[in-house]
């Protein structure tokens, strides 16, 4: 281990579970509350002194695509508009949601929303120890790793234990994002599961194309099944096992493995 | 179709976001560090150059002041060697200078101012060495000549006059007298 770089502790958190990289885990029951989440994080961090990365599963973190209104030029205006859209989509008040996005006034961008109370609890779990903290959405991390594959396709799709994500591109920018809930009990590596997932993706891609009033384009499906999957017209199976972890286990474990895995390896 | 880059952005601003920016990435942090180091090095180099320039200026001023204090006076001009003149040469030179200094203009103005129809000025002879002018006049009556001589001697640039000769023999053209007097010129 380098004297100058400290190992980063990765912790995956989904709606019902917390998984830390060395093997720790915690489960609150039905869903997290701020206090229980903070205590679980503190316990998971333990005596670790280095940086901490918290990765939130797609069932805990909400996502949507924000189209910047014409005339918006300032970041605070963009944040306000996005917060209002989050309240319209997920309920509550604007101050109830914490947002993270690669803000852009010129083209649509993906926005992640997390309950502000949970974010405060996550911050509170490390503030006393003053160590660097990163809080990411697992969907964001996966999209960033799969982003180079988006060039030849209009639709990019992949699966995690909790959701199947379908991202639609128009003119080089994200135009649509759909998170389809998955049946966690289904065996992830089975070929039938992958084919079923692909079918759902295809239907969703067609629906998005109709919504955007454009012709359905080629689809790139990032698969971690490892099985030999059947060829389909206008489809490309992409072996993403080097980029994404397998879908066995919980969403929290998947997020934890995703954060712990270096990019490209 | 080419899509742009997707930057990793979290819910919590990264440490030193005011320096590195809010987009995460090791390359971005490294670039921020490199830019900061280069900027600091540039500032230090500029400060060092400014200090050096100031020191050089002070040194130059001190050197100029020291050299001015040690300034050697300019060498004295060599004494002028006068040519050796004999006494007679010296006398002739002085005489010539005196001749050149005769105030002819004021003498003529004075004589013209005192001129009358009864008196004719026949000769004017300056003696520069003695500072006098000998004037010879002719006229029908001796009284007129004497009167004219008295007026001339009392007018500038003359100080006083001295009668030298009177000739009252009747001339060929009916003139009664000729008078010669000497006037001293005021210096």
């Amino acid at each position: 281990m380098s004297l100058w770089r400290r190992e980063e502790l990765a912790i995956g958190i989904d709606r019902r579970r917390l998984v830390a990289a060395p093997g720790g885990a915690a489960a609150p029951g039905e869903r997290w509350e701020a206090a229980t989440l903070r205590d679980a994080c503190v316990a998971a961090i333990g005596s670790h002194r280095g940086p901490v990365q918290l990765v939130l599963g797609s069932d805990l973190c909400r996502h949507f695509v924000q189209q910047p209104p014409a005339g918006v030029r300032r970041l605070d205006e963009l944040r306000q508009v996005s917060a209002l859209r989050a309240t319209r989509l997920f309920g509550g008040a604007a101050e109830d949601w914490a947002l993270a996005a690669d803000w852009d006034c010129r083209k649509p961008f993906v926005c992640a929303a997390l309950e502000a109370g949970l974010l405060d609890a996550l911050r509170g779990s490390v503030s006393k120890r003053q160590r660097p903290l990163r809080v990411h959405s697992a969907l964001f991390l996966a999209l960033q790793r799969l982003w180079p594959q988006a060039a030849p396709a209009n639709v990019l799709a992949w699966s995690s234990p909790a959701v199947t994500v379908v991202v639609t591109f128009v003119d080089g920018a994200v135009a649509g994002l759909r998170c389809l809930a998955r049946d966690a009990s289904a065996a992830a590596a089975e070929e039938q599961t992958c084919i079923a997932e692909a079918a759902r993706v295809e239907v969703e891609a067609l629906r998005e194309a109709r919504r955007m009033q454009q012709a359905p384009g080629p689809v790139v499906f990032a698969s971690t099944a490892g099985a030999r999957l059947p060829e389909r017209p206008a489809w490309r199976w992409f072996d993403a096992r080097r980029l994404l972890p397998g879908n066995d286990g919980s969403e929290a474990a998947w997020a934890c493995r995703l954060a712990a895995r270096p990019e490209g390896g | 179709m080419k899509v742009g880059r997707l930057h990793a952005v979290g819910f919590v601003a990264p440490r030193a976001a005011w320096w590195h920016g809010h987009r995460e990435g090791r390359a971005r942090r490294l670039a921020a560090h490199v830019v900061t180091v280069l900027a600091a090095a540039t500032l230090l180099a500029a400060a060092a150059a400014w200090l050096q320039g100031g020191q050089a200026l002070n040194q130059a001023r001190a050197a100029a002041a020291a050299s001015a204090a040690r300034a050697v006076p300019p060498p004295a001009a060599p004494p002028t060697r006068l040519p050796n003149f004999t006494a007679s040469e010296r006398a002739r030179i002085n005489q010539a200078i005196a001749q050149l200094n005769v105030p002819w203009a004021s003498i003529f103005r004075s004589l013209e101012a005192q001129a009358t129809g009864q008196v004719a000025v026949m000769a004017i002879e300056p003696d520069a060495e003695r500072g006098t002018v000998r004037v010879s006049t002719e006229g029908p009556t001796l009284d007129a000549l004497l009167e004219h001589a008295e007026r001339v001697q009392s007018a500038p640039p003359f100080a006083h006059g001295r009668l030298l000769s009177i000739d009252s023999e009747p001339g060929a053209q009916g003139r009664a007298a000729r008078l010669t007097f000497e006037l001293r010129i005021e210096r």
Side-chain angles (χ1 to χ4, degrees):
Chain A
M1 188 177 74
S2 167
L3 291 175
W4 305 104
R5 287 188 56 195
R6 295 184 175 179
E7 292 294 329
E8 186 178 53
L9 175 64
I11 298 176
I13 307 173
D14 64 18
R15 193 180 186 87
R16 298 186 178 86
R17 204 167 287 104
L18 180 148
V19 174
E30 183 57 30
R31 56 169 296 170
W32 290 108
E33 297 294 336
T36 53
L37 181 59
R38 183 177 58 247
D39 295 340
C41 283
V42 171
I45 293 172
S47 60
H48 178 75
R49 290 285 176 262
V52 175
Q53 182 179 184
L54 306 177
V55 184
L56 309 177
S58 299
D59 56 348
L60 180 65
C61 206
R62 314 290 185 91
H63 300 88
F64 60 96
V65 174
Q66 175 65 50
Q67 171 76 36
V72 169
R73 289 293 176 267
R74 289 169 48 182
L75 178 59
D76 56 344
E77 294 174 349
L78 201 53
R79 285 178 178 269
Q80 290 173 3
V81 168
S82 300
L84 289 175
R85 179 157 169 80
T87 59
R88 186 182 303 175
L89 291 173
F90 312 124
E95 55 270 17
D96 295 338
W97 295 101
L99 301 179
D102 191 10
W103 306 98
D104 196 327
C105 293
R106 297 162 296 176
K107 58 182 188 292
F109 53 89
V110 178
C111 206
L114 175 67
E115 293 178 28
L118 294 181
L119 181 62
D120 292 338
L122 295 175
R123 280 189 174 138
S125 64
V126 297
S127 63
K128 295 177 184 178
R129 292 175 174 79
Q130 296 294 323
R131 58 171 62 86
L133 174 66
R134 296 198 293 166
V135 181
H136 285 140
S137 156
L139 187 146
F140 249 93
L141 288 182
L143 182 59
Q144 189 186 20
R145 293 186 183 187
L146 297 173
W147 194 260
Q149 304 299 324
N154 284 83
V155 178
L156 176 64
W158 72 92
S159 290
S160 68
V163 296
T164 296
V165 182
V166 180
V167 182
T168 306
F169 295 89
V170 175
D171 296 333
V174 175
L177 175 69
R178 300 281 295 167
C179 294
L180 311 174
R182 291 185 69 232
D183 181 7
S185 62
E190 284 193 3
E191 183 175 324
Q192 290 299 325
T193 304
C194 294
I195 293 174
E197 287 294 330
R200 294 185 68 194
V201 169
E202 189 174 15
V203 168
E204 202 58 40
L206 288 172
R207 188 178 297 169
E208 286 288 284
R210 180 176 295 181
R211 182 175 69 84
M212 296 174 195
Q213 296 180 346
Q214 65 178 14
V219 177
V220 172
F221 191 93
S223 171
T224 56
R228 184 178 174 81
L229 298 170
E231 295 296 326
R232 296 170 64 86
W235 268 78
R236 188 166 72 88
W237 296 99
F238 166 57
D239 186 0
R241 284 180 293 176
R242 294 182 71 242
L243 299 177
L244 304 178
N247 287 342
D248 50 322
S250 64
E251 180 76 4
W254 186 86
C256 182
R257 292 200 302 272
L258 178 67
R261 173 180 303 213
E263 293 187 33
Chain B
M1 178 196 71
K2 182 174 174 59
V3 297
R5 282 191 61 187
L6 177 65
H7 300 276
V9 181
F11 287 96
V12 177
R15 181 180 275 187
W18 60 270
W19 182 13
H20 301 143
H22 286 262
R23 290 174 175 170
E24 298 179 6
R26 193 175 302 168
R28 193 173 187 87
R29 288 199 303 272
L30 180 62
H33 292 168
V34 169
V35 168
T36 302
V37 168
L38 288 176
T42 304
L43 276 175
L44 284 174
W50 182 70
L51 284 173
Q52 263 190 345
Q55 287 177 357
L57 184 61
N58 290 338
Q59 287 175 359
R61 283 177 179 166
S67 65
R70 292 193 306 269
V72 177
T80 306
R81 288 186 63 248
L82 295 174
N84 287 331
F85 292 112
T86 63
S88 61
E89 287 174 341
R90 208 176 292 120
R92 285 203 301 276
I93 291 171
N94 289 334
Q95 189 180 18
I97 292 172
Q99 287 285 351
L100 290 172
N101 288 335
V102 171
W104 283 110
S106 58
I107 291 172
F108 286 140
R109 270 200 304 273
S110 181
L111 288 176
E112 286 176 5
Q114 306 307 323
T116 64
Q118 303 294 319
V119 177
V121 177
M122 301 306 291
I124 302 173
E125 299 169 23
D127 187 350
E129 267 186 69
R130 294 177 57 236
T132 60
V133 174
R134 181 175 291 188
V135 178
S136 298
T137 57
E138 281 187 1
T141 63
L142 185 60
D143 291 338
L145 294 177
L146 290 172
E147 227 177 275
H148 172 262
E150 192 173 346
R151 287 201 305 273
V152 168
Q153 74 171 357
S154 60
F158 305 114
H160 62 83
R162 184 164 68 97
L163 190 63
L164 295 178
S165 65
I166 299 175
D167 186 2
S168 61
E169 290 180 3
Q173 298 179 359
R175 288 169 298 186
R178 180 180 296 174
L179 186 68
T180 302
F181 56 93
E182 186 181 79
L183 301 168
R184 179 165 294 279
I185 302 173
E186 280 185 334
R187 296 292 181 190

